[in-house]
Amino acid sequence: MLSEQYKREMEQLGPRQEELERLYTLIEGGTDMKRKKWIGRRAVAAIAVCAALTLTATAAAAPAVWRSLQEHLGPFAPYAQYIKGASCADQGIKIQMLSAISDDLEARFYLSVRDVEGDRLNDFLTLKGNLTAGEKRELRPGETEPAVSGGMYSTSRFELISYDPETKTVLFSASIFYEDTARPNGEGKLTVTGMSTKRGGLYADVPCASATGGTLQSLPLSKNDKVIFTPDELGGTGYTNAVLPARKVVLAPGQTPMDIEGTEDIRVSSMGFASDGCFHLRLDFAEGVEPELRKDGKSTMMFGFYPEDDAAMDVRFCVTQETLVDGGLDVLFPLIKAEDLKTLQSGSVHLSMPYSRPGTDIEGAWSTEFELEHYLSTVLDWQGQVDGCQVRQVALSPLSVTMYSNDKGGFHNATLYAVKKDGTEIAAEPGGANYTNLGAQGGEGWDAFNTWKFEEPIDIEDISFLSLKGTLIPVN
């Protein structure tokens, strides 16, 4: 019955019969990665519906979570592996590995976390655990060059993508960067030991266009206010607490209230110039919200003002003093004065704030293993000069390009292009880059490992050349 449902859905999309047969094979347990070269608008739609039906049938993900995953994958969705049967449950929480997309440079994984017994999850959920998929790379036969990058084959960082309150399901992603010292080996394992909704993180920009040159109501520092960060704790600026104004004040609350996009835990209470002549930003915290501090009681937060014109950026804009006040935080910028108003109104204050909030801790044991398929990079039969640098190896996958050379740094911000046989180009933006000065190790020159990631996947068989800094590299 379920197989017939798949077929009816596929036939409505209109792919040819032979294409449908490939999809049916995929659903019934065929090898996913062999299907990924088959791509086109109808094929992309067919694969999306196929995978959605498969996951729904196995209760792996709700439709809303699946849509979020598809949106996150974007044009890479047809190249993703849909992982089947990798799930685990404990404490009334089910974790399911959903999908992965990988070559031998990087792997991205997607997993869902669902509360099947209660309503304990939300969009502040964090995971404590580890995802491993790979091993340390051995030197290639005859390889003598140093391994210049710092790749890994595991990660403990999980990024929340979305939360669906209707089905109480959270979608996470995790990335492993193999670079040049690690590699995928076809096996993956996820282990989670706990999760919590008590930790928040605010990474946002507060526009300063509404700031005026007038003086806002200010309050003297009270005995209950606590300074948790001063300029002499900010390394690299050359400023100390000597730049602090003699008058010790904070802004009075509630003068220029403004919501901050993406959060209800923290909002702007007052923003402008205080009676000390300096710019301040006062934040209000929701009930139960507290900034995350170090063990010595000092701040872990970061604030800085960034003008619209990057050329106007000045290190003095990042000199701050942070003071805990009743119900929130006052951030003083001692070196931003009224004469900076025009620049101030053009830019925004960037907030980087880890904090704790009311929530739930859930301890348990979740573990599941899965197979990881990946795209092998093809080493091109080419060596030559690019922008005066000797390139000794270029490798290409549908997702990325890697290059070994003696470049001193010129490649790390250069866009690379894949030139198709019809002359169109697909851009690849610079990824990780590592440089080793061989002279410091008793050798000569430099050793560089550069990477690029395509903005959309490519079919290697359809590529004629790679283009970098005016040099065409043939793809054989």
Side-chain angles (χ1 to χ4, degrees):
M1 178 68 76
L2 196 55
S3 179
E4 290 302 315
Q5 181 186 0
Y6 292 148
K7 292 188 178 183
R8 287 196 299 271
E9 295 286 349
M10 294 303 98
E11 287 159 2
Q12 290 175 8
L13 291 169
R16 297 188 303 273
Q17 183 60 36
E18 58 268 27
E19 294 170 343
L20 288 173
E21 292 303 325
R22 293 176 180 177
L23 285 171
Y24 303 151
T25 302
L26 182 149
I27 294 171
E28 294 163 3
T31 304
D32 292 3
M33 297 295 280
K34 293 180 180 179
R35 317 301 176 194
K36 298 306 188 297
K37 286 185 179 180
W38 174 72
I39 186 169
R41 291 186 178 180
R42 290 182 299 172
V44 171
I47 289 175
V49 173
C50 253
L53 288 169
T54 302
L55 292 175
T56 301
T58 58
V65 177
W66 177 252
R67 286 193 296 270
S68 181
L69 171 57
Q70 293 295 295
E71 291 171 1
H72 196 80
L73 283 168
F76 294 91
Y79 277 64
Q81 168 194 358
Y82 299 101
I83 300 171
K84 306 176 185 70
S87 66
C88 48
D90 191 19
Q91 308 298 315
I93 303 291
K94 181 177 181 180
I95 300 180
Q96 175 98 32
M97 292 298 303
L98 300 178
S99 181
I101 181 167
S102 174
D103 61 5
D104 40 21
L105 174 65
E106 178 185 353
R108 283 182 287 150
F109 305 87
Y110 299 90
L111 58 145
S112 64
V113 181
R114 182 182 179 190
D115 192 339
V116 296
E117 292 184 358
D119 192 8
R120 294 165 288 177
L121 310 183
N122 58 33
D123 51 6
F124 288 96
L125 185 67
T126 58
L127 300 183
K128 181 172 64 176
N130 190 70
L131 192 156
T132 300
E135 60 190 6
K136 182 178 179 180
R137 182 183 72 80
E138 301 296 333
L139 290 178
R140 291 179 289 270
E143 182 180 16
T144 58
E145 74 267 17
V148 296
S149 71
M152 300 290 290
Y153 50 85
S154 67
T155 182
S156 58
R157 180 178 179 182
F158 301 90
E159 179 184 355
L160 189 147
I161 298 175
S162 65
Y163 172 64
D164 178 32
E166 184 176 346
T167 58
K168 305 165 188 174
T169 305
V170 183
L171 175 64
F172 282 97
S173 70
S175 295
I176 291 178
F177 302 95
Y178 300 113
E179 295 196 15
D180 190 44
T181 58
R183 65 179 183 184
N185 63 357
E187 301 174 355
K189 183 176 182 179
L190 172 69
T191 302
V192 175
T193 58
M195 57 190 72
S196 176
T197 57
K198 289 185 176 182
R199 192 172 190 273
L202 178 61
Y203 307 96
D205 294 306
V206 175
C208 299
S210 61
T212 70
T215 300
L216 298 183
Q217 181 183 355
S218 307
L219 301 173
L221 247 64
S222 74
K223 63 179 181 180
N224 295 324
D225 295 336
K226 181 182 179 181
V227 176
I228 58 173
F229 189 85
T230 55
D232 60 341
E233 296 174 82
L234 184 62
T237 65
Y239 293 101
T240 70
N241 58 13
V243 301
L244 297 174
R247 181 179 295 180
K248 310 299 182 184
V249 300
V250 296
L251 284 181
Q255 298 181 78
T256 60
M258 180 171 57
D259 290 335
I260 298 175
E261 185 177 357
T263 182
E264 296 180 358
D265 284 345
I266 301 172
R267 70 192 306 261
V268 174
S269 178
S270 299
M271 179 176 66
F273 292 94
S275 60
D276 58 8
C278 303
F279 178 66
H280 288 242
L281 174 67
R282 179 165 178 151
L283 302 172
D284 274 348
F285 298 152
E287 185 176 356
V289 170
E290 296 181 356
E292 184 178 281
L293 303 179
R294 301 189 320 226
K295 291 182 179 180
D296 61 1
K298 297 301 182 181
S299 172
T300 62
M301 299 174 283
M302 295 182 65
F303 299 88
F305 170 75
Y306 292 86
E308 182 179 38
D309 182 3
D310 291 342
M313 183 60 191
D314 193 311
V315 68
R316 65 189 176 92
F317 295 156
C318 294
V319 178
T320 63
Q321 181 178 59
E322 300 164 22
T323 303
L324 287 176
V325 294
D326 183 26
L329 180 76
D330 181 274
V331 184
L332 158 66
F333 292 80
L335 298 175
I336 299 181
K337 307 294 180 64
E339 55 265 30
D340 299 306
L341 179 61
K342 187 174 181 180
T343 300
L344 182 67
Q345 292 174 332
S346 77
S348 58
V349 173
H350 180 72
L351 315 178
S352 177
M353 295 183 58
Y355 62 91
S356 62
R357 61 184 312 280
T360 303
D361 290 325
I362 305 172
E363 300 296 326
W366 296 265
S367 181
T368 186
E369 298 181 359
F370 57 93
E371 294 182 1
L372 175 65
E373 299 169 329
H374 68 282
Y375 296 96
L376 287 170
S377 294
T378 299
V379 177
L380 304 184
D381 185 20
W382 179 88
Q383 293 180 338
Q385 295 276 327
V386 176
D387 198 31
C389 299
Q390 180 63 40
V391 177
R392 65 180 183 274
Q393 180 177 297
V394 181
L396 174 66
S397 89
L399 312 178
S400 66
V401 178
T402 60
M403 179 180 292
Y404 290 95
S405 72
N406 63 358
D407 174 46
K408 296 181 180 180
F411 295 167
H412 79 281
N413 60 358
T415 301
L416 180 147
Y417 297 91
V419 184
K420 299 173 69 173
K421 293 177 180 178
D422 64 5
T424 58
E425 298 179 340
I426 299 176
E429 295 302 326
N434 292 275
Y435 294 86
T436 298
N437 184 352
L438 300 180
Q441 302 177 0
E444 296 183 1
W446 288 77
D447 191 39
F449 176 74
N450 291 88
T451 70
W452 290 263
K453 300 175 186 178
F454 288 110
E455 61 184 14
E456 62 181 74
I458 65 165
D459 185 341
I460 296 178
E461 295 178 0
D462 195 33
I463 303 300
S464 293
F465 298 95
L466 300 179
S467 176
L468 177 64
K469 297 178 79 71
T471 298
L472 295 180
I473 302 170
V475 176
N476 302 101

